[in-house]
Amino acid sequence: MEEQIRKIKQESIEKIKTIENLKELADEKVKYLGKKGELTTILRGMGSLSKEERPIIGSLVNEVRDELEILFDSKEKKLKRKDLLKRLETENIDVTEPSKKITLGSLHPITQIIKEVEEIFLGMGYEIADGPEVEKAIYNFDKLNTPPDHPARDVQDTFYINDDIVLRSQTSPVQARVMENKKPPIKIICPGAVYRSDSVDATHSPVFHQIEGLVVDKNIAMTDLKGTLEMFAKKCLGENTKIRFRPHHFPFTEPSAEADVSCFVCGGKGCRVCKGEGWIELLGCGMVHPNVLKNCGIDPEKYSGFAFGFGVERIAMAKFGIEDMRLLFENDIRFLKQF
Ligand code: DAH
């Protein structure tokens, strides 16, 4: 048996010398030292040896196994190092080569305008409010003094989820939500998507964006509204922008007005953007109707307020010179890249 063990040892030493790859080395190691390997088999068969032989053979097997293990390990290290050197030689990286260009996206023009307007109003001490796009009809209409027979409530104009719930047709319901939850002084703007049953063309889309503004406090007057809008127009559209009010009607404001800005392209002389008018229609506004204050739990004898609301698409189109609103929603990267 001693003879056999020495033979295994010798054979294995020779083998290790000739092996040149790691896989083969691992296979050989299993063959000699593994659970079913040759040395283990000998250890298993020791039951048939005499009492005197057993410890001698046992210790010889262990000795050989330790030796072989050392040899296998050192060969493994050698082969690994050789592999590494070879890879370092062949897989060289040219760190001076230009890297792949990563193209970063940019904010959508609508988002850009919203952010810009937010900055302007934050600078004037406003807070940004938010409200649901799927809204109760009560907030979209009733609390805003818009009676059940008002034409805006028609299914022709507004998307109904059921009799009581609509896709908000304006950001104005956020006014009511804020007033119910907060005591004056209130100074908020609310940007967001709104929905109307309009067919798509160059100036209409069933979904578009508005920014609502609301201020409620003691002694708020029309002059505050005008001054605020003037300041906003100058910051957003240019220092020389002028503003004018035309009488109008909204159910939730009294008096109500539409505000125009002098054309920021031609400065008021008349051009393609203002269609020769010199003025561009900007927004709806007015003094918050006493009924609206009352509906939202604010005493109209003590407090007054102003509100305004405008379409973001219209501003984006005028500012960026976009002639067709559909471009803003088609997500064509060639179009969006320009902003
Ligand atoms: N909600 C109106 C609309 O969609 C715009 C508007 C007009 C908002 C007057 C206001 C306002 O807050 O006071 O046409």
Side-chain angles (χ1 to χ4, degrees), residues 169-172 175 196 210 212-213 250 252-253 284-286 307-309:
S169 62
Q170 47 188 355
T171 41
S172 307
Q175 287 189 30
R196 284 186 200 174
Q210 288 189 331
E212 191 79 15
F250 296 104
F252 33 87
T253 41
C285 61
F308 57 87

Side-chain angles (χ1 to χ4, degrees), residues 13-28 72 74-84 86:
I13 289 174
E14 290 307 317
K15 190 84 205 187
I16 291 173
K17 277 188 199 152
T18 64
I19 289 177
E20 282 309 325
N21 76 65
L22 284 161
K23 164 92 178 71
E24 211 182 309
L25 187 73
D27 289 347
E28 283 304 317
F72 272 111
S74 85
K75 181 78 182 202
E76 191 185 328
K77 273 191 199 132
K78 234 189 234 165
L79 288 180
K80 274 192 176 157
R81 187 163 167 72
K82 218 167 120 186
D83 266 12
L84 178 67
K86 198 162 140 205

Side-chain angles (χ1 to χ4, degrees), residues 186-237:
I186 291 169
K187 262 175 108 175
I188 58 110
I189 59 160
C190 164
V194 301
Y195 302 84
R196 284 186 200 174
S197 184
D198 279 332
S199 20
V200 176
D201 64 27
T203 52
H204 292 88
S205 160
V207 48
F208 58 102
H209 298 79
Q210 288 189 331
I211 297 180
E212 191 79 15
L214 172 71
V215 171
V216 181
D217 202 350
K218 288 183 174 141
N219 303 318
I220 297 293
M222 195 96 177
T223 46
D224 299 311
L225 169 62
K226 197 161 184 198
T228 302
L229 293 180
E230 216 161 62
M231 174 77 123
F232 162 63
K234 282 182 193 298
K235 292 216 161 160
C236 184
L237 303 170

Side-chain angles (χ1 to χ4, degrees), residues 138-145 172-184 186 214 216 252 288-300 303:
I138 276 200
Y139 282 98
N140 199 72
F141 297 122
D142 301 80
K143 287 184 193 266
L144 297 175
N145 202 35
S172 307
V174 181
Q175 287 189 30
R177 288 187 172 270
V178 171
M179 283 190 275
E180 280 186 352
N181 284 306
K182 198 173 164 349
K183 287 200 166 61
I186 291 169
L214 172 71
V216 181
F252 33 87
V288 180
H289 197 294
N291 286 351
V292 175
L293 293 173
K294 236 184 282 170
N295 290 343
C296 302
I298 291 176
D299 183 355
Y303 294 102

Side-chain angles (χ1 to χ4, degrees), residues 237-243 261-274 276-280:
L237 303 170
E239 266 310 308
N240 298 322
T241 309
K242 287 196 258 319
I243 194 158
V261 283
S262 56
C263 179
F264 48 88
V265 176
C266 64
K269 287 192 210 73
C271 70
R272 216 159 52 107
V273 172
C274 60
E277 292 281 318
W279 295 91
I280 298 174

